[in-house]
Amino acid sequence: GEEEAAAPVSSEQRVNSVVLKQAALVSERLRSLEKPDIVIPGTLLSDAYDRCGEVCAEYAKTFYLGTLLMTPERRRAIWAIYVWCRRTDELVDGPNASHITPTALDRWESRLEELFQGRPFDMYDAALSDTVAKFPVDIQPFKDMIEGMRMDLRKSQYKNFDELYLYCYYVAGTVGLMSVPVMGIAPDSQATTESVYNAALALGIANQLTNILRDVGEDARRGRIYLPQDELAQAGLSDDDIFAGKVTDKWRFFMKNQIRRARMFFDQAEKGVTELNAASRWPVWASLLLYRQILDEIEANDYNNFTRRAYVSKVKKLASLPIAYTKSLI
């Protein structure tokens, strides 16, 4: 009836409209009409991409190894996107994060707009500028990621999962939307472009929820709680319980539900990964399997994510690579 017409748009609906826009962009291949040709000397450009590869190798080894199976052009583009995301994240989480102001994020956004118009500011920007000219990548997910950083400056609590979902989309789901146009969809795939984007989005959200569950103790020490307040209350928990950091039955019950939800997003993601271009599947599988294991580690630590950081050991990481590779071939 009347009430429904005025219902607020849920975060999932808002995000879905971005997904549809991305999917349309790929199917229409509009990029040649809108995107200017950048004139950057070739040697400079390949240096820029190499530098992006080095950063990726240093900070995301497993993911980097995964990218080496992709075609050179795709691999370089993924590195450029990775580096931009990392730099964006560093603004809020890096060594100078305590001095960061909304103005700095506005400046970063103008730089983003410039590089999308073929006017890069530095070497890393040049690599991304070339990437977005070559692939049907839209600026929206990049702007949304900056919006997620703004949210981080303003907000240290989330009322409910709807609010948290939007945050997870901004800071991590966006990465899926940036990457799919570069990774490409398998030529023989029967899936709709939209469904592949939705799977990439689900993987970003699953990874972010996993980060949040892994880092509860660390975040609490910084005065931040990224857990849905209403669900904490339903479990009979308060912020004080989290700051106190005691593993109780209430906490275990709450965590089980949070982990179940994250796994649901991983399952959603898994359906779409198989639709990606075969050579591009591998870094995605690697990240999916590794992040999934973090949830297992939290359980193995008896839900103590206050003082123990669940991490996947080197041996386990290496063991999961052949599995990821085998899965990527199926």
Side-chain angles (χ1 to χ4, degrees):
E2 290 294 306
E3 305 84 66
E4 270 168 16
V9 183
S10 78
S11 295
E12 299 212 22
Q13 287 164 315
R14 281 172 67 177
V15 171
N16 194 43
S17 63
V18 182
V19 172
L20 291 173
K21 189 178 160 199
Q22 302 306 304
L25 211 107
V26 174
S27 25
E28 292 169 41
R29 294 260 181 256
L30 282 174
R31 57 181 190 212
S32 48
L33 307 174
E34 315 171 23
K35 289 184 179 155
D37 284 328
I38 341 167
V39 191
I40 302 170
T43 50
L44 197 75
L45 205 51
S46 72
D47 281 351
Y49 276 120
D50 289 346
R51 288 278 291 282
C52 290
E54 283 162 21
V55 173
C56 190
E58 187 179 345
Y59 293 103
K61 213 159 239 77
T62 314
F63 179 75
Y64 173 77
L65 290 171
T67 61
L68 296 179
L69 293 167
M70 298 166 75
T71 64
E73 201 182 29
R74 286 192 164 133
R75 161 168 79 221
R76 293 163 51 176
I78 285 292
W79 293 343
I81 290 171
Y82 172 83
V83 168
W84 185 87
C85 293
R86 184 173 168 79
R87 292 170 90 192
T88 304
D89 191 55
E90 285 277 290
L91 289 175
V92 190
D93 263 347
N96 303 318
S98 49
H99 307 297
I100 199 77
T101 59
T103 327
L105 288 172
D106 295 344
R107 278 206 301 271
W108 186 241
E109 189 165 359
S110 337
R111 266 181 71 167
L112 172 71
E113 285 164 358
E114 291 284 304
L115 77 82
F116 259 83
Q117 278 150 9
R119 291 188 295 277
F121 183 78
D122 65 15
M123 226 170 152
Y124 297 117
D125 284 356
L128 185 58
S129 202
D130 182 62
T131 288
V132 304
K134 283 188 183 141
F135 292 94
V137 180
D138 182 50
I139 196 168
Q140 192 59 47
F142 292 86
K143 290 184 139 199
D144 284 347
M145 183 179 269
I146 296 174
E147 190 49 46
M149 303 300 145
R150 287 196 185 98
M151 210 178 207
D152 238 352
L153 293 182
R154 296 194 297 267
K155 236 174 144 78
S156 55
Q157 276 194 346
Y158 293 82
K159 276 207 299 283
N160 50 33
F161 184 69
D162 188 65
E163 278 191 8
L164 187 63
Y165 177 89
L166 191 61
Y167 173 71
C168 290
Y169 159 68
Y170 281 151
V171 297
T174 46
V175 183
L177 301 189
M178 297 167 186
S179 315
V180 172
V182 171
M183 292 184 159
I185 295 171
D188 55 350
S189 166
Q190 300 297 303
T192 63
T193 313
E194 184 193 338
S195 69
V196 180
Y197 271 104
N198 275 320
L201 172 69
L203 179 58
I205 295 202
N207 285 353
Q208 189 58 26
L209 289 173
T210 301
N211 279 336
I212 287 170
L213 298 178
R214 179 192 63 196
D215 297 340
V216 168
E218 238 166 89
D219 289 333
R221 286 190 278 285
R222 303 191 348 234
R224 310 185 78 87
I225 295 178
Y226 292 96
L227 300 164
Q229 290 289 323
D230 59 347
E231 296 176 22
L232 276 171
Q234 278 156 13
L237 295 161
S238 69
D239 288 358
D240 291 342
D241 293 311
I242 292 172
F243 291 130
K246 282 204 173 53
V247 179
T248 58
D249 284 341
K250 281 179 181 171
W251 178 251
R252 289 188 189 97
F253 175 74
F254 172 78
M255 279 303 301
K256 279 178 186 156
N257 285 323
Q258 300 300 311
I259 289 175
R260 185 164 65 232
R261 177 192 279 139
R263 286 201 172 119
M264 205 180 71
F265 280 102
F266 279 122
D267 293 342
Q268 237 176 301
E270 201 163 313
K271 289 192 197 69
V273 180
T274 46
E275 306 297 338
L276 287 171
N277 210 311
S280 306
R281 269 174 227 164
W282 162 237
V284 185
W285 272 125
S287 117
L288 194 144
L289 290 169
L290 287 173
Y291 267 88
R292 261 213 162 126
Q293 288 179 336
I294 294 174
L295 295 174
D296 304 339
E297 296 294 325
I298 296 174
E299 290 173 334
N301 288 344
D302 191 30
Y303 307 101
N304 179 2
N305 43 6
F306 297 118
T307 54
R308 297 184 61 178
R309 190 169 199 261
Y311 77 101
V312 179
S313 67
K314 281 250 158 48
V315 175
K316 278 193 183 160
K317 273 189 181 171
L318 291 171
S320 70
L321 285 176
I323 301 169
Y325 187 55
T326 317
K327 283 200 158 193
S328 75
L329 296 176
I330 296 165

